[in-house]
Amino acid sequence: MTESPIEADSEIEVFNPADAAVIARIPVDSAATVRAKVANLRAHQRDWEDLGPRGREVWLRAFQDWILDNESRIADVLQSETGKTRADAVVEAPAVADLIKYWSGHARRYLADTRARPHSPLFAIKALSTNYRPYPVVGVITPWNFPFAAPAMDTIPALAAGAAVLVKPSEVTPLSAIELVKGWREIGAPPVFDLAIGRGDTGAAVTDQVDFVQFTGSTRTGRRIAVRCAERLIPCSLELGGKDPALVLADADIDRAVNGITWGGMVNSGQVCTSVERVYVETPVYDEFVGKLVAKVDSLRQGKDGKDFRFDIGAMATPAQRDLVARHIDDAVAGGARVLTGGTPRGGFYEPTVLVDVDHTMACIREETFGPTLPVIEVADEAEAIRLANDSEFALSASVWTRDTARGLRVARRIEAGAVNVNDVMANAFCVAVPMGGWKQSGMGARFGGRAGILKYCRAQAITAPRLPAPSDEVMWYPSTRLGAGLATAVMRATAARGLRRIGLRAPRRG
Ligand code: NAD
């Protein structure tokens, strides 16, 4: 296997994007270091698996306590490397503690062997079961928008399943993931959770070594990882970009729609895969909605936050991300769109922006913006809203706003997206009992989804065993005879055939 070339002794500079101050320099892991880390994880994984769900739960619960005990410091760290507001920063640690409670508490039931009845009388004497055994080493590769929660949310179910995990956090925000692994070490847990620091080439080195890749990031990188995983014949699960539509129907509670869509488009400076990125509003309520939306967005406070919750909107995570947002807005304005509020970059920030008079060919509608922008389009009716919502290569999630829940549910079933929230935004991403995954270019596979969320990290192993003392020979074993083959096929025919003639009990009609 060829190793990815990684510049020896290179390091990563970590910035606070709110004031461009350099806050840390972290050495990059070479491909050889990644290989050694995976070998070490592999060496300890079997003991971790053998602890069983109950034994693993003890460590996971201790980790849950550590996270809650260090909640404020974790928020400081992730705020320092993202420029988030305090309100955006404080949710990540408790959200992870909540996930640990869920996965560790349910693992025993979800991982239990399943039994099945033989489908044919030929196997009536067999006891059939399926065991679930973890992929030994799972690689978790993550982006920068939730630097503590993103590495944790996929690591926890993998650890609960009995896998060892190597996280490769974004090069933009490695400090929060370093805290996460530090916590695991501080509680004295078995060495089955480690970190690989670096850029894309370190991520490629991880993909080259692990047994399963759980990736969250852009569609472009996800495709490259899928190709590499296909070459290695290992599975991957891809959580990719989005361009989530919000459909505001004429019977919506407009105040709730405005408040929800403003939050859904602006939270974390719009840098959420499930951000609202396109809004379709039925004509009868278009003017009222746009008026109230502009007033709401206008009222948002933006700036470099401390610990005192002074601001609603923080910085963009990188200058490149700010420039991408600016490009989408400038391109839209050049094409005839109007900015009703915002529309300007300020240092490491981009102003919360509402755009109207946009059309479906513009970059702000076709590409992922990942910024605090809300382009709004007027539609004639529900059918047009659905048609335009589905006119995208992305299909991560969507929202429908109506006072008629039955109508909301009916519209939801016609939207092409991995999740639809009725009268809410992003709610599914916090509900681990249902899957969070994208369709089309937004992903392959899903995280969460109750039992499926932990079984995805397992290989299913079928076990058959005799229920009665077994004879010394079987009818199909050697030597081959007409009688043996005839008996076996007669039973198969009897179970598969429809009608006496096919069973072979009545002679076929002639002529
Ligand atoms: P990115 O694809 O640039 O990078 C993501 C991670 O992949 C980083 O750690 C990066 O170092 C690594 N990487 C880059 N090249 C690699 C390679 N060849 N092999 C292995 N790893 C490689 O994404 P980003 O800019 O960090 O994050 C923003 C994107 O993430 C957006 O598109 C957003 O929608 C998406 N995202 C999706 C979800 C979801 O659940 N669907 C959640 C959050 C973010």
Side-chain angles (χ1 to χ4, degrees):
M1 187 182 303
T2 52
E3 259 178 11
S4 320
I6 297 174
E7 270 178 57
D9 303 326
S10 63
E11 53 177 26
I12 286 170
E13 268 191 348
V14 187
F15 292 88
N16 183 335
D19 57 13
V22 175
I23 52 174
R25 287 191 171 81
I26 316 278
V28 161
D29 284 329
S30 68
T33 308
V34 169
R35 191 156 25 87
K37 286 185 172 183
V38 170
N40 188 51
L41 291 169
R42 214 176 272 293
H44 291 93
Q45 181 272 330
R46 185 70 225 196
D47 288 346
W48 177 245
E49 182 180 348
D50 287 347
L51 279 181
R54 278 254 165 86
R56 296 193 290 272
E57 184 180 359
V58 172
W59 289 113
L60 288 165
R61 295 287 187 164
F63 195 34
Q64 179 185 332
D65 294 343
W66 183 93
I67 287 170
L68 290 178
D69 293 346
N70 290 276
E71 189 181 347
S72 173
R73 193 169 49 78
I74 291 166
D76 293 345
V77 172
L78 70 91
Q79 204 175 1
S80 73
E81 63 179 346
T82 56
K84 287 182 195 237
T85 61
R86 194 66 179 172
D88 286 344
V90 293
V91 292
E92 295 197 32
V96 171
D98 184 42
L99 288 179
I100 297 177
K101 177 172 178 286
Y102 179 80
W103 293 116
S104 62
H106 286 76
R108 199 165 73 94
R109 188 157 59 87
Y110 287 168
L111 292 168
D113 298 356
T114 50
R115 305 207 173 280
R117 274 210 206 150
H119 75 289
S120 157
L122 270 184
F123 301 100
I125 51 161
K126 296 289 184 196
L128 304 182
S129 63
T130 308
N131 302 340
Y132 301 94
R133 304 262 312 279
Y135 289 97
V137 182
V138 171
V140 173
I141 302 175
T142 57
W144 39 256
N145 55 342
F146 293 100
F148 188 78
M153 71 182 162
D154 294 312
T155 291
I156 301 303
L159 286 173
V165 176
L166 183 64
V167 164
K168 206 304 274 173
S170 168
E171 57 273 37
V172 179
T173 55
L175 304 181
S176 307
I178 290 173
E179 288 299 311
L180 187 70
V181 172
K182 195 163 103 190
W184 186 256
R185 290 187 185 140
E186 268 183 29
I187 61 169
V192 289
F193 180 25
D194 207 346
L195 207 58
I197 298 286
R199 305 180 180 83
D201 42 12
T202 301
V206 170
T207 307
D208 281 348
Q209 297 294 331
V210 297
D211 307 306
F212 182 109
V213 177
Q214 168 63 47
F215 173 74
T216 307
S218 64
T219 299
R220 183 174 40 85
T221 307
R223 189 174 288 112
R224 293 176 71 178
I225 288 176
V227 167
R228 183 64 189 132
C229 288
E231 283 168 354
R232 291 195 58 222
L233 282 182
I234 62 162
C236 60
S237 182
L238 307 174
E239 304 292 338
L240 309 178
K243 191 75 196 171
D244 287 6
L247 288 71
V248 182
L249 305 181
D251 63 350
D253 173 343
I254 297 299
D255 290 331
R256 182 169 173 83
V258 165
N259 291 332
I261 289 170
T262 302
W263 186 80
M266 304 296 169
V267 66
N268 209 35
S269 302
Q271 301 167 119
V272 185
C273 52
T274 49
S275 287
V276 176
E277 295 225 350
R278 304 177 278 150
V279 188
Y280 302 100
V281 188
E282 276 193 281
T283 295
V285 290
Y286 177 79
D287 290 338
E288 180 190 359
F289 177 85
V290 170
K292 288 182 169 175
L293 180 71
V294 171
K296 183 80 190 180
V297 172
D298 236 359
S299 74
L300 300 177
R301 302 155 303 166
Q302 184 175 41
K304 183 183 178 216
D305 217 354
K307 293 191 185 193
D308 43 5
F309 298 85
R310 279 177 52 224
F311 294 105
D312 303 303
I313 314 284
M316 302 305 296
T318 63
Q321 193 57 41
R322 179 204 55 205
D323 294 347
L324 190 156
V325 176
R327 176 172 68 76
H328 281 193
I329 300 295
D330 295 349
D331 163 87
V333 170
R338 282 184 299 136
V339 171
L340 297 187
T341 182
T344 311
R346 286 194 296 113
F349 297 74
Y350 196 93
E351 289 177 350
T353 301
V354 176
L355 270 180
V356 293
D357 299 341
V358 292
D359 70 48
H360 242 247
T361 65
M362 293 176 174
C364 69
I365 293 294
R366 304 235 63 93
E367 300 171 23
E368 186 181 44
T369 305
F370 227 54
T373 63
L374 285 169
V376 188
I377 292 184
E378 183 177 346
V379 291
D381 52 23
E382 176 189 303
E384 188 181 14
I386 293 170
R387 182 176 62 74
L388 292 178
N390 289 341
D391 178 19
S392 175
E393 62 178 14
F394 295 106
L396 191 53
S397 72
S399 60
V400 180
W401 303 83
T402 168
R403 281 198 172 85
D404 179 350
T405 305
R407 184 185 184 197
L409 293 172
R410 183 170 50 73
V411 171
R413 285 178 179 274
R414 295 183 56 203
I415 293 178
E416 290 168 17
V420 182
N421 297 294
V422 178
N423 293 330
D424 207 343
V425 283
M426 303 186 196
N428 73 291
F430 295 92
C431 296
V432 275
V434 290
M436 177 195 179
W439 296 0
K440 302 186 193 173
Q441 301 292 299
S442 288
M444 203 169 77
R447 62 165 63 91
F448 304 158
R451 189 163 188 248
I454 195 164
L455 289 189
K456 69 183 265 190
Y457 294 112
C458 295
R459 300 159 296 178
Q461 181 180 51
I463 304 276
T464 77
R467 288 167 59 195
L468 300 169
S472 59
D473 211 350
E474 296 278 342
V475 286
M476 288 293 286
W477 289 0
Y478 296 132
S480 305
T481 63
R482 184 182 298 273
L483 180 64
L487 275 172
T489 53
V491 176
M492 289 180 204
R493 281 193 76 94
T495 50
R498 294 193 300 161
L500 293 178
R501 180 175 66 80
R502 290 201 181 86
I503 291 174
L505 294 181
R506 218 165 50 185
R509 266 194 229 142
R510 288 172 195 279

